[in-house]
Amino acid sequence: MTEPTTRYAPGTFTPAPRRASAWRMASAQTRFELRLLLRNGEQLLLALVIPIAALIGLTKISVIDLDEPRIDTVTPGIFTLAIMSTAFTSLAIATAFDRRYGAAKRLAAAGVPRWLLITGKIAGVFIVIVGQLLILSGIALLLGWDPAGSFAWALLMVLLGAAAFGGLGLLVGGTLRAEAVLALANIVWLVLVGIGGVIVPLSSGGLMSAIGQATPAGALSHGLRDVLQFGTAPSLTSVLVLLAWSILGWLSSIRWFRWQ
Amino acid sequence: MTEEPALELLGLGRTFGSLAAVDDLSFTVPRGSLLALLGPNGAGKTTTVQMCEGFLRPTSGTVRVLGIDPWTHADQLRPRLGVMLQAGGAHASARTREMLDLIGHCSADPLDAGWLLEELGLTSVARTPVRRLSGGQVQRLSLAMALIGRPEVLFLDEPTAGLDPAARHLVWDLLRAARADGVTIVLTTHLMDEAELLADQVVIIDHGRAVASGTTSELLGDERAHLRFAATAGLDLTLLLQALPSGYTAVEVRAGHYRVDGDITPAAMATVTSWFARVGVLATDLQVGRRSLDDVYLDLTGREIRA
């Protein structure tokens, strides 16, 4: 039943599959995700517009009572907000819609191993967080921010925070239906903004403050304020809380994550 | 090239709860040939293909693609496959070219993405987001993603669903060229003409089981013509068989639908119509023809395949 085809030169489709290097696959995937992110208005709003607006607003408008200089109090909270938005909310939503569209499965079908799919996603999250923190730091410095403390401690807190939020983001995005993720990821974001010391630093003592301190947002904002505002090491509690959330999120993701 | 078959299924089965989606399916696809998995929606075609691609674990039996177990060695196998997912798998907010490039980057030596888009008539929508493509365009993008890595085996889930006739012929040309170049192709379809036109081998499945398999000519039987007619159900065919020369058979395929097999000559036709007159029957449909896969399917299951 073979009819001669003149349209294609013989040998056009001769099989010659060769898997790309892990680097080529991961960098293509990361570039792809970053381009989608930059084109997505809601994601940009979450990643940059809201944090920038909050940074400037909380510093310039003194409706809420904050320690002076306001910018030093505000900035660590805004960093927490930025990290939470990207590593948790955006990652959860993007993962859920990847699953909905079968995009993760499409990549798997093209020979991208599971670990590389996750690596590509995480790399994308880290690049975005670096970009956010650079931009936010630049604006904060213009507003007179005077960061204290060691860069290494700050970096550790950022990494731990991203790990904790990222694990939870993958867990939520990898287990629930896309609509549910959309709702849940935004509600959790709002609740954590409320109780996680993002805007008003957690006071010491009190039940609400203890609950806030136990959330990844509270631990991260508290730890970042220890370092950047007060120039000390982050409290052991903050480090342990973030570690615990990281382990919980990642182990649960490994256990329950579904590709479709 | 080692000559294990491209695909080998042996007693393959998959259950979902108490439902057997695929049941005891066995067939072999030689390299460089095209197999059409034919059946109505829900017959188990997609489940079968998903097991071949390593996306579903068989609950019984074995499947080997290029000699590899797709479930346990997916990472080793998948770079050698070209897969067209039924859901498409294209990110709705990605642009056509972007999506194809992403899949192309999973291969060290992909086909040229621009050329593929041109061939599939997608150049004008290269910068259009996937969510704004028509169903047929998504389908062609999906095929491009399956082809770009120069695969040894192509798994195509309903490759021409939603395509207009021109695009369908374009895809058929492309699949013929790929097969001529040595690509093994497994496609699912519920289109008889597609299977009849392209396939070296057809497996008809229904309720997860193979109801018939073979080359198209095997399934269609010899070239003898047959005659079909529709009339009231339950006619006594004895008189007809007596009137016809020996060697003819006549059966009621299903209620009210009859088939006469044998050498359908003008004389035989006259015999049949004069029998209508004798028993006082007005046939509502009378046709002479070669068997088609439609007939095969209908005879086997008593249902239209496109039900």
Side-chain angles (χ1 to χ4, degrees), chain B residues 71-86:
Chain B
W71 179 258
T72 57
H73 293 82
D75 286 354
Q76 187 190 334
L77 175 64
R78 292 220 184 100
R80 300 170 67 185
L81 306 182
V83 169
M84 186 170 171
L85 301 170
Q86 201 170 39

Side-chain angles (χ1 to χ4, degrees), chain B residues 148-209:
Chain B
I148 196 164
R150 303 180 192 270
E152 288 172 64
V153 184
L154 265 177
F155 285 102
L156 308 174
D157 209 347
E158 311 217 336
T160 58
L163 294 189
D164 59 42
R168 186 165 290 167
H169 280 281
L170 196 135
V171 169
W172 287 344
D173 278 350
L174 200 148
L175 295 184
R176 283 198 196 97
R179 184 187 46 180
D181 284 340
V183 181
T184 309
I185 303 170
V186 175
L187 60 85
T188 71
T189 183
H190 58 262
L191 302 175
M192 292 293 176
D193 50 352
E194 185 161 282
E196 222 171 316
L197 204 63
L198 294 176
D200 301 299
Q201 201 189 161
V202 177
V203 174
I204 303 181
I205 65 174
D206 192 30
H207 299 302
R209 302 187 69 102

